[in-house]
Amino acid sequence: DQQVKQNSPSLSVQEGRISILNCDYTNSMFDYFLWYKKYPAEGPTFLISISSIKDKNEDGRFTVFLNKSAKHLSLHIVPSQPGDSAVYFCAASTGTASKLTFGTGTRLQVTL
Amino acid sequence: DTGVSQDPRHKITKRGQNVTFRCDPISEHNRLYWYRQTLGQGPEFLTYFQNEAQLEKSRLLSDRFSAERPKGSFSTLEIQRTEQGDSAMYLCASSSDFLNYGYTFGSGTRLTVV
């Protein structure tokens, strides 16, 4: 039962353009969402998070949007840079339990 | 503090052997987590500790798996009688202010059971 889904296994974007990574969830009890970035041979690195009481959170080039009615969130990266090339994981938790349920990841490649 | 450290980075073992992994969290973090990641999947929750108390275990953590965090500092994850299906990356993470900063993950221990 995949409660957090990332349906695009890969995405290729030109440098300077916008990257949009999508994530859907099925568990309506999830109320806190995070995005992680992972380079090969390293552990995932926290990028940005959003609480279910908000619909948008921004941090520099990264913005996360949450649509609770659609159970959908997205990560926007503007402008995309070659160093953003990595696997991006969406994750969700319930309350402050802090146990995370991860999606399967989207591999982003930013080309010159 | 250099972040979350995991040892070893790689482990190859024969089926049926026992293995133990160690995780040293960021010193001021009171929560410690173990996750497992297989190829093409996201990390899957195994267990977590708040200080020395193990507060939750996943059903993925069969009787062959045990985790400890003595004195609320480092943690060990032991797998007894390893099986080929145990081959995966085992990730440790720690946190203090989860809601604002998520977890900090270590680089993981890659286990290969042959």
mmCIF file with all atom_site columns, all heavy atoms in Angstrom, chain A residues 32 36 41 43-44 46 89 96 98-100 102-103, chain B residues 9 31 33 35 37 42-43 45 56 99 103 105-106:
data_model
loop_
_atom_site.group_PDB
_atom_site.id
_atom_site.type_symbol
_atom_site.label_atom_id
_atom_site.label_alt_id
_atom_site.label_comp_id
_atom_site.label_asym_id
_atom_site.label_entity_id
_atom_site.label_seq_id
_atom_site.pdbx_PDB_ins_code
_atom_site.Cartn_x
_atom_site.Cartn_y
_atom_site.Cartn_z
_atom_site.occupancy
_atom_site.B_iso_or_equiv
_atom_site.pdbx_formal_charge
_atom_site.auth_seq_id
_atom_site.auth_comp_id
_atom_site.auth_asym_id
_atom_site.auth_atom_id
_atom_site.pdbx_PDB_model_num
ATOM 1   N N   . TYR A 1 32  ? 1.866  16.740 7.738  1.00 0.00 ? 32  TYR A N   1
ATOM 2   C CA  . TYR A 1 32  ? 3.152  17.408 7.629  1.00 0.00 ? 32  TYR A CA  1
ATOM 3   C C   . TYR A 1 32  ? 3.923  16.742 6.507  1.00 0.00 ? 32  TYR A C   1
ATOM 4   O O   . TYR A 1 32  ? 3.981  15.511 6.448  1.00 0.00 ? 32  TYR A O   1
ATOM 5   C CB  . TYR A 1 32  ? 3.904  17.294 8.964  1.00 0.00 ? 32  TYR A CB  1
ATOM 6   C CG  . TYR A 1 32  ? 5.139  18.137 9.044  1.00 0.00 ? 32  TYR A CG  1
ATOM 7   C CD1 . TYR A 1 32  ? 5.041  19.527 9.045  1.00 0.00 ? 32  TYR A CD1 1
ATOM 8   C CD2 . TYR A 1 32  ? 6.389  17.565 9.111  1.00 0.00 ? 32  TYR A CD2 1
ATOM 9   C CE1 . TYR A 1 32  ? 6.167  20.309 9.107  1.00 0.00 ? 32  TYR A CE1 1
ATOM 10  C CE2 . TYR A 1 32  ? 7.512  18.339 9.171  1.00 0.00 ? 32  TYR A CE2 1
ATOM 11  C CZ  . TYR A 1 32  ? 7.401  19.708 9.166  1.00 0.00 ? 32  TYR A CZ  1
ATOM 12  O OH  . TYR A 1 32  ? 8.517  20.492 9.233  1.00 0.00 ? 32  TYR A OH  1
ATOM 13  N N   . TYR A 1 36  ? 13.031 15.818 0.389  1.00 0.00 ? 36  TYR A N   1
ATOM 14  C CA  . TYR A 1 36  ? 14.432 15.508 0.595  1.00 0.00 ? 36  TYR A CA  1
ATOM 15  C C   . TYR A 1 36  ? 15.099 15.349 -0.761 1.00 0.00 ? 36  TYR A C   1
ATOM 16  O O   . TYR A 1 36  ? 14.478 14.926 -1.738 1.00 0.00 ? 36  TYR A O   1
ATOM 17  C CB  . TYR A 1 36  ? 14.595 14.188 1.368  1.00 0.00 ? 36  TYR A CB  1
ATOM 18  C CG  . TYR A 1 36  ? 14.442 14.319 2.860  1.00 0.00 ? 36  TYR A CG  1
ATOM 19  C CD1 . TYR A 1 36  ? 13.180 14.325 3.440  1.00 0.00 ? 36  TYR A CD1 1
ATOM 20  C CD2 . TYR A 1 36  ? 15.555 14.463 3.677  1.00 0.00 ? 36  TYR A CD2 1
ATOM 21  C CE1 . TYR A 1 36  ? 13.041 14.457 4.811  1.00 0.00 ? 36  TYR A CE1 1
ATOM 22  C CE2 . TYR A 1 36  ? 15.412 14.597 5.050  1.00 0.00 ? 36  TYR A CE2 1
ATOM 23  C CZ  . TYR A 1 36  ? 14.164 14.593 5.606  1.00 0.00 ? 36  TYR A CZ  1
ATOM 24  O OH  . TYR A 1 36  ? 14.025 14.724 6.970  1.00 0.00 ? 36  TYR A OH  1
ATOM 25  N N   . ALA A 1 41  ? 25.415 7.769  -3.114 1.00 0.00 ? 41  ALA A N   1
ATOM 26  C CA  . ALA A 1 41  ? 26.333 7.421  -2.019 1.00 0.00 ? 41  ALA A CA  1
ATOM 27  C C   . ALA A 1 41  ? 26.217 8.356  -0.813 1.00 0.00 ? 41  ALA A C   1
ATOM 28  O O   . ALA A 1 41  ? 27.106 8.384  0.044  1.00 0.00 ? 41  ALA A O   1
ATOM 29  C CB  . ALA A 1 41  ? 27.786 7.384  -2.506 1.00 0.00 ? 41  ALA A CB  1
ATOM 30  N N   . GLY A 1 43  ? 23.297 10.081 2.219  1.00 0.00 ? 43  GLY A N   1
ATOM 31  C CA  . GLY A 1 43  ? 21.950 10.000 2.753  1.00 0.00 ? 43  GLY A CA  1
ATOM 32  C C   . GLY A 1 43  ? 21.094 11.150 2.247  1.00 0.00 ? 43  GLY A C   1
ATOM 33  O O   . GLY A 1 43  ? 21.616 12.149 1.756  1.00 0.00 ? 43  GLY A O   1
ATOM 34  N N   . PRO A 1 44  ? 19.766 11.031 2.334  1.00 0.00 ? 44  PRO A N   1
ATOM 35  C CA  . PRO A 1 44  ? 18.889 12.132 1.915  1.00 0.00 ? 44  PRO A CA  1
ATOM 36  C C   . PRO A 1 44  ? 19.147 13.389 2.750  1.00 0.00 ? 44  PRO A C   1
ATOM 37  O O   . PRO A 1 44  ? 19.455 13.298 3.937  1.00 0.00 ? 44  PRO A O   1
ATOM 38  C CB  . PRO A 1 44  ? 17.485 11.576 2.195  1.00 0.00 ? 44  PRO A CB  1
ATOM 39  C CG  . PRO A 1 44  ? 17.639 10.092 2.247  1.00 0.00 ? 44  PRO A CG  1
ATOM 40  C CD  . PRO A 1 44  ? 19.006 9.853  2.789  1.00 0.00 ? 44  PRO A CD  1
ATOM 41  N N   . PHE A 1 46  ? 17.491 17.087 3.942  1.00 0.00 ? 46  PHE A N   1
ATOM 42  C CA  . PHE A 1 46  ? 16.241 17.840 4.076  1.00 0.00 ? 46  PHE A CA  1
ATOM 43  C C   . PHE A 1 46  ? 16.299 19.121 3.249  1.00 0.00 ? 46  PHE A C   1
ATOM 44  O O   . PHE A 1 46  ? 17.282 19.867 3.271  1.00 0.00 ? 46  PHE A O   1
ATOM 45  C CB  . PHE A 1 46  ? 16.029 18.192 5.552  1.00 0.00 ? 46  PHE A CB  1
ATOM 46  C CG  . PHE A 1 46  ? 14.887 19.131 5.807  1.00 0.00 ? 46  PHE A CG  1
ATOM 47  C CD1 . PHE A 1 46  ? 13.582 18.685 5.720  1.00 0.00 ? 46  PHE A CD1 1
ATOM 48  C CD2 . PHE A 1 46  ? 15.121 20.454 6.137  1.00 0.00 ? 46  PHE A CD2 1
ATOM 49  C CE1 . PHE A 1 46  ? 12.517 19.545 5.961  1.00 0.00 ? 46  PHE A CE1 1
ATOM 50  C CE2 . PHE A 1 46  ? 14.074 21.318 6.379  1.00 0.00 ? 46  PHE A CE2 1
ATOM 51  C CZ  . PHE A 1 46  ? 12.766 20.871 6.288  1.00 0.00 ? 46  PHE A CZ  1
ATOM 52  N N   . PHE A 1 89  ? 12.842 13.052 -2.964 1.00 0.00 ? 89  PHE A N   1
ATOM 53  C CA  . PHE A 1 89  ? 11.836 12.249 -2.286 1.00 0.00 ? 89  PHE A CA  1
ATOM 54  C C   . PHE A 1 89  ? 10.849 13.159 -1.578 1.00 0.00 ? 89  PHE A C   1
ATOM 55  O O   . PHE A 1 89  ? 11.222 14.097 -0.873 1.00 0.00 ? 89  PHE A O   1
ATOM 56  C CB  . PHE A 1 89  ? 12.476 11.324 -1.241 1.00 0.00 ? 89  PHE A CB  1
ATOM 57  C CG  . PHE A 1 89  ? 13.294 10.213 -1.821 1.00 0.00 ? 89  PHE A CG  1
ATOM 58  C CD1 . PHE A 1 89  ? 14.677 10.323 -1.900 1.00 0.00 ? 89  PHE A CD1 1
ATOM 59  C CD2 . PHE A 1 89  ? 12.688 9.061  -2.289 1.00 0.00 ? 89  PHE A CD2 1
ATOM 60  C CE1 . PHE A 1 89  ? 15.444 9.301  -2.433 1.00 0.00 ? 89  PHE A CE1 1
ATOM 61  C CE2 . PHE A 1 89  ? 13.450 8.029  -2.819 1.00 0.00 ? 89  PHE A CE2 1
ATOM 62  C CZ  . PHE A 1 89  ? 14.827 8.161  -2.902 1.00 0.00 ? 89  PHE A CZ  1
ATOM 63  N N   . THR A 1 96  ? 2.928  14.882 15.337 1.00 0.00 ? 96  THR A N   1
ATOM 64  C CA  . THR A 1 96  ? 4.344  15.070 15.664 1.00 0.00 ? 96  THR A CA  1
ATOM 65  C C   . THR A 1 96  ? 5.029  13.736 15.886 1.00 0.00 ? 96  THR A C   1
ATOM 66  O O   . THR A 1 96  ? 6.093  13.665 16.483 1.00 0.00 ? 96  THR A O   1
ATOM 67  C CB  . THR A 1 96  ? 4.473  15.923 16.943 1.00 0.00 ? 96  THR A CB  1
ATOM 68  O OG1 . THR A 1 96  ? 3.751  15.278 17.990 1.00 0.00 ? 96  THR A OG1 1
ATOM 69  C CG2 . THR A 1 96  ? 3.925  17.316 16.714 1.00 0.00 ? 96  THR A CG2 1
ATOM 70  N N   . SER A 1 98  ? 6.547  12.016 13.874 1.00 0.00 ? 98  SER A N   1
ATOM 71  C CA  . SER A 1 98  ? 7.823  12.133 13.173 1.00 0.00 ? 98  SER A CA  1
ATOM 72  C C   . SER A 1 98  ? 8.259  10.902 12.397 1.00 0.00 ? 98  SER A C   1
ATOM 73  O O   . SER A 1 98  ? 9.297  10.913 11.772 1.00 0.00 ? 98  SER A O   1
ATOM 74  C CB  . SER A 1 98  ? 8.946  12.606 14.104 1.00 0.00 ? 98  SER A CB  1
ATOM 75  O OG  . SER A 1 98  ? 9.442  11.570 14.917 1.00 0.00 ? 98  SER A OG  1
ATOM 76  N N   . LYS A 1 99  ? 7.470  9.848  12.386 1.00 0.00 ? 99  LYS A N   1
ATOM 77  C CA  . LYS A 1 99  ? 7.771  8.736  11.488 1.00 0.00 ? 99  LYS A CA  1
ATOM 78  C C   . LYS A 1 99  ? 7.366  9.178  10.094 1.00 0.00 ? 99  LYS A C   1
ATOM 79  O O   . LYS A 1 99  ? 6.252  9.659  9.886  1.00 0.00 ? 99  LYS A O   1
ATOM 80  C CB  . LYS A 1 99  ? 6.954  7.508  11.898 1.00 0.00 ? 99  LYS A CB  1
ATOM 81  C CG  . LYS A 1 99  ? 7.079  6.329  10.965 1.00 0.00 ? 99  LYS A CG  1
ATOM 82  C CD  . LYS A 1 99  ? 6.174  5.207  11.425 1.00 0.00 ? 99  LYS A CD  1
ATOM 83  C CE  . LYS A 1 99  ? 5.011  5.020  10.508 1.00 0.00 ? 99  LYS A CE  1
ATOM 84  N NZ  . LYS A 1 99  ? 4.176  3.863  10.886 1.00 0.00 ? 99  LYS A NZ  1
ATOM 85  N N   . LEU A 1 100 ? 8.279  9.052  9.146  1.00 0.00 ? 100 LEU A N   1
ATOM 86  C CA  . LEU A 1 100 ? 8.026  9.519  7.790  1.00 0.00 ? 100 LEU A CA  1
ATOM 87  C C   . LEU A 1 100 ? 7.697  8.369  6.861  1.00 0.00 ? 100 LEU A C   1
ATOM 88  O O   . LEU A 1 100 ? 8.318  7.302  6.937  1.00 0.00 ? 100 LEU A O   1
ATOM 89  C CB  . LEU A 1 100 ? 9.244  10.261 7.255  1.00 0.00 ? 100 LEU A CB  1
ATOM 90  C CG  . LEU A 1 100 ? 9.575  11.605 7.901  1.00 0.00 ? 100 LEU A CG  1
ATOM 91  C CD1 . LEU A 1 100 ? 10.831 12.185 7.287  1.00 0.00 ? 100 LEU A CD1 1
ATOM 92  C CD2 . LEU A 1 100 ? 8.416  12.574 7.761  1.00 0.00 ? 100 LEU A CD2 1
ATOM 93  N N   . PHE A 1 102 ? 7.818  7.712  2.889  1.00 0.00 ? 102 PHE A N   1
ATOM 94  C CA  . PHE A 1 102 ? 8.448  8.292  1.715  1.00 0.00 ? 102 PHE A CA  1
ATOM 95  C C   . PHE A 1 102 ? 7.797  7.800  0.433  1.00 0.00 ? 102 PHE A C   1
ATOM 96  O O   . PHE A 1 102 ? 7.298  6.665  0.365  1.00 0.00 ? 102 PHE A O   1
ATOM 97  C CB  . PHE A 1 102 ? 9.929  7.908  1.664  1.00 0.00 ? 102 PHE A CB  1
ATOM 98  C CG  . PHE A 1 102 ? 10.812 8.686  2.604  1.00 0.00 ? 102 PHE A CG  1
ATOM 99  C CD1 . PHE A 1 102 ? 10.932 8.320  3.935  1.00 0.00 ? 102 PHE A CD1 1
ATOM 100 C CD2 . PHE A 1 102 ? 11.538 9.777  2.153  1.00 0.00 ? 102 PHE A CD2 1
ATOM 101 C CE1 . PHE A 1 102 ? 11.757 9.024  4.802  1.00 0.00 ? 102 PHE A CE1 1
ATOM 102 C CE2 . PHE A 1 102 ? 12.369 10.485 3.012  1.00 0.00 ? 102 PHE A CE2 1
ATOM 103 C CZ  . PHE A 1 102 ? 12.479 10.114 4.333  1.00 0.00 ? 102 PHE A CZ  1
ATOM 104 N N   . GLY A 1 103 ? 7.877  8.640  -0.597 1.00 0.00 ? 103 GLY A N   1
ATOM 105 C CA  . GLY A 1 103 ? 7.570  8.209  -1.944 1.00 0.00 ? 103 GLY A CA  1
ATOM 106 C C   . GLY A 1 103 ? 8.761  7.483  -2.549 1.00 0.00 ? 103 GLY A C   1
ATOM 107 O O   . GLY A 1 103 ? 9.805  7.330  -1.900 1.00 0.00 ? 103 GLY A O   1
ATOM 108 N N   . ARG B 2 9   ? 30.402 1.487  6.223  1.00 0.00 ? 9   ARG B N   1
ATOM 109 C CA  . ARG B 2 9   ? 29.720 2.012  5.048  1.00 0.00 ? 9   ARG B CA  1
ATOM 110 C C   . ARG B 2 9   ? 29.208 0.883  4.161  1.00 0.00 ? 9   ARG B C   1
ATOM 111 O O   . ARG B 2 9   ? 28.165 1.001  3.524  1.00 0.00 ? 9   ARG B O   1
ATOM 112 C CB  . ARG B 2 9   ? 30.665 2.910  4.230  1.00 0.00 ? 9   ARG B CB  1
ATOM 113 C CG  . ARG B 2 9   ? 31.014 4.225  4.899  1.00 0.00 ? 9   ARG B CG  1
ATOM 114 C CD  . ARG B 2 9   ? 29.789 5.130  5.040  1.00 0.00 ? 9   ARG B CD  1
ATOM 115 N NE  . ARG B 2 9   ? 29.127 5.378  3.770  1.00 0.00 ? 9   ARG B NE  1
ATOM 116 C CZ  . ARG B 2 9   ? 29.443 6.351  2.933  1.00 0.00 ? 9   ARG B CZ  1
ATOM 117 N NH1 . ARG B 2 9   ? 30.412 7.193  3.208  1.00 0.00 ? 9   ARG B NH1 1
ATOM 118 N NH2 . ARG B 2 9   ? 28.782 6.517  1.797  1.00 0.00 ? 9   ARG B NH2 1
ATOM 119 N N   . ARG B 2 31  ? 16.150 12.325 19.212 1.00 0.00 ? 31  ARG B N   1
ATOM 120 C CA  . ARG B 2 31  ? 15.442 11.271 18.479 1.00 0.00 ? 31  ARG B CA  1
ATOM 121 C C   . ARG B 2 31  ? 16.370 10.631 17.466 1.00 0.00 ? 31  ARG B C   1
ATOM 122 O O   . ARG B 2 31  ? 17.143 11.311 16.787 1.00 0.00 ? 31  ARG B O   1
ATOM 123 C CB  . ARG B 2 31  ? 14.217 11.844 17.769 1.00 0.00 ? 31  ARG B CB  1
ATOM 124 C CG  . ARG B 2 31  ? 13.112 12.232 18.743 1.00 0.00 ? 31  ARG B CG  1
ATOM 125 C CD  . ARG B 2 31  ? 11.871 12.674 18.010 1.00 0.00 ? 31  ARG B CD  1
ATOM 126 N NE  . ARG B 2 31  ? 10.761 12.895 18.928 1.00 0.00 ? 31  ARG B NE  1
ATOM 127 C CZ  . ARG B 2 31  ? 9.554  13.262 18.550 1.00 0.00 ? 31  ARG B CZ  1
ATOM 128 N NH1 . ARG B 2 31  ? 9.293  13.435 17.276 1.00 0.00 ? 31  ARG B NH1 1
ATOM 129 N NH2 . ARG B 2 31  ? 8.603  13.438 19.450 1.00 0.00 ? 31  ARG B NH2 1
ATOM 130 N N   . TYR B 2 33  ? 16.434 7.440  14.364 1.00 0.00 ? 33  TYR B N   1
ATOM 131 C CA  . TYR B 2 33  ? 15.576 6.612  13.515 1.00 0.00 ? 33  TYR B CA  1
ATOM 132 C C   . TYR B 2 33  ? 16.426 5.665  12.675 1.00 0.00 ? 33  TYR B C   1
ATOM 133 O O   . TYR B 2 33  ? 17.541 6.007  12.281 1.00 0.00 ? 33  TYR B O   1
ATOM 134 C CB  . TYR B 2 33  ? 14.779 7.484  12.530 1.00 0.00 ? 33  TYR B CB  1
ATOM 135 C CG  . TYR B 2 33  ? 14.132 8.697  13.150 1.00 0.00 ? 33  TYR B CG  1
ATOM 136 C CD1 . TYR B 2 33  ? 14.858 9.860  13.342 1.00 0.00 ? 33  TYR B CD1 1
ATOM 137 C CD2 . TYR B 2 33  ? 12.794 8.679  13.521 1.00 0.00 ? 33  TYR B CD2 1
ATOM 138 C CE1 . TYR B 2 33  ? 14.276 10.977 13.905 1.00 0.00 ? 33  TYR B CE1 1
ATOM 139 C CE2 . TYR B 2 33  ? 12.199 9.798  14.083 1.00 0.00 ? 33  TYR B CE2 1
ATOM 140 C CZ  . TYR B 2 33  ? 12.949 10.944 14.266 1.00 0.00 ? 33  TYR B CZ  1
ATOM 141 O OH  . TYR B 2 33  ? 12.361 12.046 14.826 1.00 0.00 ? 33  TYR B OH  1
ATOM 142 N N   . TYR B 2 35  ? 15.972 3.501  9.032  1.00 0.00 ? 35  TYR B N   1
ATOM 143 C CA  . TYR B 2 35  ? 15.205 3.270  7.823  1.00 0.00 ? 35  TYR B CA  1
ATOM 144 C C   . TYR B 2 35  ? 15.968 2.276  6.956  1.00 0.00 ? 35  TYR B C   1
ATOM 145 O O   . TYR B 2 35  ? 17.184 2.136  7.067  1.00 0.00 ? 35  TYR B O   1
ATOM 146 C CB  . TYR B 2 35  ? 15.003 4.573  7.031  1.00 0.00 ? 35  TYR B CB  1
ATOM 147 C CG  . TYR B 2 35  ? 13.909 5.458  7.559  1.00 0.00 ? 35  TYR B CG  1
ATOM 148 C CD1 . TYR B 2 35  ? 14.108 6.207  8.718  1.00 0.00 ? 35  TYR B CD1 1
ATOM 149 C CD2 . TYR B 2 35  ? 12.677 5.541  6.916  1.00 0.00 ? 35  TYR B CD2 1
ATOM 150 C CE1 . TYR B 2 35  ? 13.095 7.014  9.214  1.00 0.00 ? 35  TYR B CE1 1
ATOM 151 C CE2 . TYR B 2 35  ? 11.658 6.343  7.404  1.00 0.00 ? 35  TYR B CE2 1
ATOM 152 C CZ  . TYR B 2 35  ? 11.873 7.075  8.550  1.00 0.00 ? 35  TYR B CZ  1
ATOM 153 O OH  . TYR B 2 35  ? 10.867 7.865  9.041  1.00 0.00 ? 35  TYR B OH  1
ATOM 154 N N   . GLN B 2 37  ? 16.376 1.183  2.762  1.00 0.00 ? 37  GLN B N   1
ATOM 155 C CA  . GLN B 2 37  ? 16.052 1.573  1.387  1.00 0.00 ? 37  GLN B CA  1
ATOM 156 C C   . GLN B 2 37  ? 16.566 0.527  0.420  1.00 0.00 ? 37  GLN B C   1
ATOM 157 O O   . GLN B 2 37  ? 17.751 0.164  0.449  1.00 0.00 ? 37  GLN B O   1
ATOM 158 C CB  . GLN B 2 37  ? 16.670 2.934  1.053  1.00 0.00 ? 37  GLN B CB  1
ATOM 159 C CG  . GLN B 2 37  ? 16.274 3.457  -0.318 1.00 0.00 ? 37  GLN B CG  1
ATOM 160 C CD  . GLN B 2 37  ? 16.816 4.825  -0.610 1.00 0.00 ? 37  GLN B CD  1
ATOM 161 O OE1 . GLN B 2 37  ? 17.733 5.308  0.048  1.00 0.00 ? 37  GLN B OE1 1
ATOM 162 N NE2 . GLN B 2 37  ? 16.239 5.486  -1.601 1.00 0.00 ? 37  GLN B NE2 1
ATOM 163 N N   . GLY B 2 42  ? 11.740 4.412  -1.932 1.00 0.00 ? 42  GLY B N   1
ATOM 164 C CA  . GLY B 2 42  ? 12.112 5.390  -0.927 1.00 0.00 ? 42  GLY B CA  1
ATOM 165 C C   . GLY B 2 42  ? 12.466 4.697  0.372  1.00 0.00 ? 42  GLY B C   1
ATOM 166 O O   . GLY B 2 42  ? 12.203 3.503  0.546  1.00 0.00 ? 42  GLY B O   1
ATOM 167 N N   . PRO B 2 43  ? 13.064 5.425  1.298  1.00 0.00 ? 43  PRO B N   1
ATOM 168 C CA  . PRO B 2 43  ? 13.374 4.835  2.604  1.00 0.00 ? 43  PRO B CA  1
ATOM 169 C C   . PRO B 2 43  ? 12.103 4.342  3.306  1.00 0.00 ? 43  PRO B C   1
ATOM 170 O O   . PRO B 2 43  ? 11.066 5.007  3.248  1.00 0.00 ? 43  PRO B O   1
ATOM 171 C CB  . PRO B 2 43  ? 14.016 5.999  3.372  1.00 0.00 ? 43  PRO B CB  1
ATOM 172 C CG  . PRO B 2 43  ? 14.553 6.908  2.307  1.00 0.00 ? 43  PRO B CG  1
ATOM 173 C CD  . PRO B 2 43  ? 13.568 6.810  1.178  1.00 0.00 ? 43  PRO B CD  1
ATOM 174 N N   . PHE B 2 45  ? 10.494 3.101  6.993  1.00 0.00 ? 45  PHE B N   1
ATOM 175 C CA  . PHE B 2 45  ? 10.692 3.216  8.437  1.00 0.00 ? 45  PHE B CA  1
ATOM 176 C C   . PHE B 2 45  ? 10.862 1.841  9.077  1.00 0.00 ? 45  PHE B C   1
ATOM 177 O O   . PHE B 2 45  ? 10.118 0.898  8.775  1.00 0.00 ? 45  PHE B O   1
ATOM 178 C CB  . PHE B 2 45  ? 9.481  3.914  9.049  1.00 0.00 ? 45  PHE B CB  1
ATOM 179 C CG  . PHE B 2 45  ? 9.468  3.943  10.550 1.00 0.00 ? 45  PHE B CG  1
ATOM 180 C CD1 . PHE B 2 45  ? 10.231 4.849  11.249 1.00 0.00 ? 45  PHE B CD1 1
ATOM 181 C CD2 . PHE B 2 45  ? 8.678  3.040  11.256 1.00 0.00 ? 45  PHE B CD2 1
ATOM 182 C CE1 . PHE B 2 45  ? 10.202 4.874  12.637 1.00 0.00 ? 45  PHE B CE1 1
ATOM 183 C CE2 . PHE B 2 45  ? 8.647  3.062  12.630 1.00 0.00 ? 45  PHE B CE2 1
ATOM 184 C CZ  . PHE B 2 45  ? 9.411  3.974  13.328 1.00 0.00 ? 45  PHE B CZ  1
ATOM 185 N N   . GLU B 2 56  ? 8.676  3.109  18.717 1.00 0.00 ? 56  GLU B N   1
ATOM 186 C CA  . GLU B 2 56  ? 7.857  2.492  17.669 1.00 0.00 ? 56  GLU B CA  1
ATOM 187 C C   . GLU B 2 56  ? 8.723  1.564  16.827 1.00 0.00 ? 56  GLU B C   1
ATOM 188 O O   . GLU B 2 56  ? 9.893  1.858  16.580 1.00 0.00 ? 56  GLU B O   1
ATOM 189 C CB  . GLU B 2 56  ? 7.220  3.559  16.775 1.00 0.00 ? 56  GLU B CB  1
ATOM 190 C CG  . GLU B 2 56  ? 6.213  2.990  15.789 1.00 0.00 ? 56  GLU B CG  1
ATOM 191 C CD  . GLU B 2 56  ? 5.411  4.062  15.067 1.00 0.00 ? 56  GLU B CD  1
ATOM 192 O OE1 . GLU B 2 56  ? 5.483  5.240  15.457 1.00 0.00 ? 56  GLU B OE1 1
ATOM 193 O OE2 . GLU B 2 56  ? 4.694  3.701  14.098 1.00 0.00 ? 56  GLU B OE2 1
ATOM 194 N N   . LEU B 2 99  ? 9.819  19.410 13.262 1.00 0.00 ? 99  LEU B N   1
ATOM 195 C CA  . LEU B 2 99  ? 8.835  20.153 12.476 1.00 0.00 ? 99  LEU B CA  1
ATOM 196 C C   . LEU B 2 99  ? 9.473  21.249 11.635 1.00 0.00 ? 99  LEU B C   1
ATOM 197 O O   . LEU B 2 99  ? 8.918  21.656 10.632 1.00 0.00 ? 99  LEU B O   1
ATOM 198 C CB  . LEU B 2 99  ? 7.760  20.741 13.389 1.00 0.00 ? 99  LEU B CB  1
ATOM 199 C CG  . LEU B 2 99  ? 6.846  19.718 14.044 1.00 0.00 ? 99  LEU B CG  1
ATOM 200 C CD1 . LEU B 2 99  ? 5.802  20.423 14.917 1.00 0.00 ? 99  LEU B CD1 1
ATOM 201 C CD2 . LEU B 2 99  ? 6.138  18.860 12.992 1.00 0.00 ? 99  LEU B CD2 1
ATOM 202 N N   . TYR B 2 103 ? 14.686 15.482 9.528  1.00 0.00 ? 103 TYR B N   1
ATOM 203 C CA  . TYR B 2 103 ? 15.764 14.659 10.064 1.00 0.00 ? 103 TYR B CA  1
ATOM 204 C C   . TYR B 2 103 ? 17.081 15.038 9.397  1.00 0.00 ? 103 TYR B C   1
ATOM 205 O O   . TYR B 2 103 ? 17.082 15.529 8.278  1.00 0.00 ? 103 TYR B O   1
ATOM 206 C CB  . TYR B 2 103 ? 15.638 13.193 9.651  1.00 0.00 ? 103 TYR B CB  1
ATOM 207 C CG  . TYR B 2 103 ? 14.425 12.413 9.932  1.00 0.00 ? 103 TYR B CG  1
ATOM 208 C CD1 . TYR B 2 103 ? 14.167 11.295 9.152  1.00 0.00 ? 103 TYR B CD1 1
ATOM 209 C CD2 . TYR B 2 103 ? 13.540 12.713 10.956 1.00 0.00 ? 103 TYR B CD2 1
ATOM 210 C CE1 . TYR B 2 103 ? 13.083 10.497 9.374  1.00 0.00 ? 103 TYR B CE1 1
ATOM 211 C CE2 . TYR B 2 103 ? 12.437 11.930 11.176 1.00 0.00 ? 103 TYR B CE2 1
ATOM 212 C CZ  . TYR B 2 103 ? 12.214 10.823 10.389 1.00 0.00 ? 103 TYR B CZ  1
ATOM 213 O OH  . TYR B 2 103 ? 11.119 10.027 10.600 1.00 0.00 ? 103 TYR B OH  1
ATOM 214 N N   . PHE B 2 105 ? 20.046 12.739 7.995  1.00 0.00 ? 105 PHE B N   1
ATOM 215 C CA  . PHE B 2 105 ? 20.406 11.350 7.708  1.00 0.00 ? 105 PHE B CA  1
ATOM 216 C C   . PHE B 2 105 ? 21.914 11.169 7.669  1.00 0.00 ? 105 PHE B C   1
ATOM 217 O O   . PHE B 2 105 ? 22.664 12.079 7.305  1.00 0.00 ? 105 PHE B O   1
ATOM 218 C CB  . PHE B 2 105 ? 19.863 10.928 6.335  1.00 0.00 ? 105 PHE B CB  1
ATOM 219 C CG  . PHE B 2 105 ? 18.426 10.509 6.338  1.00 0.00 ? 105 PHE B CG  1
ATOM 220 C CD1 . PHE B 2 105 ? 17.431 11.422 6.059  1.00 0.00 ? 105 PHE B CD1 1
ATOM 221 C CD2 . PHE B 2 105 ? 18.072 9.194  6.609  1.00 0.00 ? 105 PHE B CD2 1
ATOM 222 C CE1 . PHE B 2 105 ? 16.088 11.045 6.054  1.00 0.00 ? 105 PHE B CE1 1
ATOM 223 C CE2 . PHE B 2 105 ? 16.736 8.802  6.597  1.00 0.00 ? 105 PHE B CE2 1
ATOM 224 C CZ  . PHE B 2 105 ? 15.754 9.725  6.323  1.00 0.00 ? 105 PHE B CZ  1
ATOM 225 N N   . GLY B 2 106 ? 22.344 9.964  8.014  1.00 0.00 ? 106 GLY B N   1
ATOM 226 C CA  . GLY B 2 106 ? 23.708 9.552  7.752  1.00 0.00 ? 106 GLY B CA  1
ATOM 227 C C   . GLY B 2 106 ? 23.830 9.059  6.318  1.00 0.00 ? 106 GLY B C   1
ATOM 228 O O   . GLY B 2 106 ? 22.844 9.037  5.563  1.00 0.00 ? 106 GLY B O   1
#
